[in-house]
Amino acid sequence: MKWMNLLFTRAGTRSGIHISCGMLLLNYLIAGQQTGMNEKKKTPEDLICYQKYTLKDNFCNCSWRAGEESEDPTYTLHYCVYRDYTECQNFDAGRQTYIILTNDDVHMRATISIEVTAEEHGQNYTSKPITLILDKAVKLDPPDHNKITITREGSNITVSWTRINLFPMFFNTAKEVRYKEHPQYPDPLPCKTSTSTTCQPGRDGIPICKEHCKFNLDSHHGYFIQIRQTYEEGIWSEWSESIFVPAEIGPVQIEKINTGRLNLAGLRTISLFWKPRTKEEGNMNYHINVTPLPCSGITTQHSTIQNCFHANISGAAYNVTVISSNEAQAASPWSTVIEEDWAAIPFQNVTLFGNNLTVKWKGEKGKSSYCIAWKPSEMKGVYFNKLLENLNETTILTDNFLPMKCYKIYVHKISKNQSTVGTTYYFKPLFSIGPRNLTVMNVTVSSVLLKWDQFDLHECQGILKNWIINRKDHATNASNETYENSSVTQYLVEGLPHGFNYTFEVKGITVFGEQTGSSFKSVSSPWIVENTNKKLLEKTVGILAVLLLVALGLVFSWFKIKQCICQDLPNPSNSTATTFTPSDNKYIVSPPHLVHSCFEEKNTEPLIIKTSMKSEAIETAVKETEMLDLVSTKELIHNELEMTDIDTEVEIDLQFEYRKQVAPITPIKETDTSTHFFEKMKADVPHSSESSKENDTQLSLNDVNICTGEF
């Protein structure tokens, strides 16, 4: 506007004519600009024409949007078809912003041009024309939000829906999704190219197609989304209604568990409380599965939208599982085990016939299922079971029951509200196992006190009804039985006869009439025991005395045998007999030998040796005949000698008598002959006195081992 004012200022100095022309021109320009702007705001916009998908009636549906400043105009649709010639028609739409052209007025496979004109206050405002082929210009319906399903895995979201495919010539579609975490929607988010369309024939022959749209959003937040779709050459559908996609959820967080005690009605309560979910996690549903462990094939299902759960259950052990889910996903399950509880709920009747244990309970009207379970009481999680329908009794075979083990037997009713209808105990006796540690605590001349330990039966102790004490008299073979309560663990037997001798037997009997194994103990009166002990002591002492005598006899015999066979030689060193030592040792080649005393049978005189301290020479008298009897043999030179029949004299100091004594004297390196021997002896006799100057002459003999014959 500044340039206009400047123009007016400069033109003001001219003539009035010029000023008037300028004003006219300016007014014309301004009016033309304002007219163009006003026409744009009054011109219809967003004209679209299409074939409606669900009807498939070959109609042409056209719609447009009125101008921003339109004031209730009337609309006229201009329809032109381009063939060999151009043919146009006008259709009056009145004041509506849409019009439907029937199949008599439209051309489905020809190219057409359509525009719309708005008339307001004598002025016409025409939209931009559009060109299309109605056979391909199909507008799909927006996805029905009631048929949309959403699945979420972290940040990956998949939206699925179904549609009827009324146009078999078209198959693939395009989809778009837009989302908002805040009130304003952002730009559309195209689905992944991996999405596809799958179609299957329907009941009436019309294909039903399954559409999928996958995209990614932050897993920690919830979003509102809208979806639209189109054929690849078609018209985009309208946006669907808003659908909420919740944030990713985790397992339910249990805050408290309450479990009641089993009452006599066979019921107990269970209560679970968990942490509430946030709004972004959506509308939560909680599915609770209650499964009795004895009969795991039966599960009771419960659902709630609250953050707590209450139910009645039986006394069985249970597995309780809670699964939380929303519109998009199901969280991983939370699970726990509720331990079993026991209460004495009697059956109507319990009987045992052989190995068949029959239990009967009070039945209820209507269809009911019952779970019969049994297991050893000390075991956990190990059950044997069977299911019954509409019966109120069952028979359990006890063939496979472990002996001397306490079994719990239950019957549970399985329904929406479960309960226990009966419980009992049972243990199977074994004949080889009797009461433990049967001992005699005290014995008198007329009484015996017995004591034993109970069976280790745990809860089944009440099944044992009585103890049977049987005593047998060995003198008369008479027996007598006594019954005592199962709680008793000792028994005093009184009024026994003097000098009694009994064997006591203790065993148990159950409420079903079965008997356990027995324990035995033999007891005698004290005087019988003392006599028995005295006789035993006497026998023991006698046996020990006999053994001692036998041992002494064996030792004495050994010494006698050794003395006879191996006699000890006398020790000459302890003798005071005179011994002599040769003065010249060069002729001694072997030690002195003793010649057998029985060498010759003729009588000989003993060798006489006289010694005198004052004599300067020693007289030696040896008969020549005795010299001839001396024999020097090769065996004597080799130190071999035999000695037998040694005569001893006790009354003289020398303990044996020399009948002959010789010392073979042979010069070294000379032959062993008699002649040489006697010559040397004669030559050496005069010089023998030189060796007698000492006061005593010692005779030295080598020790001889008579047993071995060796020196």
Side-chain angles (χ1 to χ4, degrees), residues 57 90 180 200 232 263 447 548 603 612 619 646 648:
D57 48 11
N90 295 326
K180 68 175 181 178
Q200 295 180 352
E232 291 183 348
N263 56 31
S447 66
L548 180 60
N603 295 328
S612 178
E619 296 180 2
I646 299 175
T648 61

Side-chain angles (χ1 to χ4, degrees), residues 674-686:
S674 314
T675 308
H676 289 283
F677 175 74
F678 290 117
E679 288 179 357
K680 290 298 181 180
M681 287 293 293
K682 290 177 182 180
D684 291 335
V685 168

